Amino acid sequence: MASNQQTRPGIGELAKDTASGRIGVVMDEVGARVHIRPVGGGVEWDAQPDNVVAPTARDDLNARVAIKNSNSRYGL
């Protein structure tokens, strides 16, 4: 693999859907679709594999803060 190639995030990792701009957690890959769940929970959406990339450092930090905020609401 060339050093400039990026791998798509795997199951359980944060990912960005470049088509929608949304950040979520990769839940599954079925056929030509990647299932992504919103960071704070909710309904999964499908993304094209070519549109799923690793989030930028800023996206990653924002998502992790959202997770902490969501957990704190429920005493987790």
Side-chain angles (χ1 to χ4, degrees), residues 23-67:
I23 304 290
V25 178
V26 175
M27 301 307 290
D28 199 4
E29 291 186 44
V30 179
R33 294 286 188 194
V34 177
H35 302 287
I36 304 174
R37 180 180 51 84
V39 171
V43 178
E44 293 179 7
W45 75 91
D46 291 342
Q48 296 286 337
D50 291 342
N51 294 336
V52 178
V53 298
T56 64
R58 174 176 274 180
D59 293 333
D60 185 84
L61 178 60
N62 286 340
R64 291 181 190 283
V65 168
I67 290 168

Side-chain angles (χ1 to χ4, degrees), residues 12-24:
E13 296 181 328
L14 285 175
K16 182 173 186 174
D17 177 1
T18 59
S20 67
R22 297 170 71 188
I23 304 290

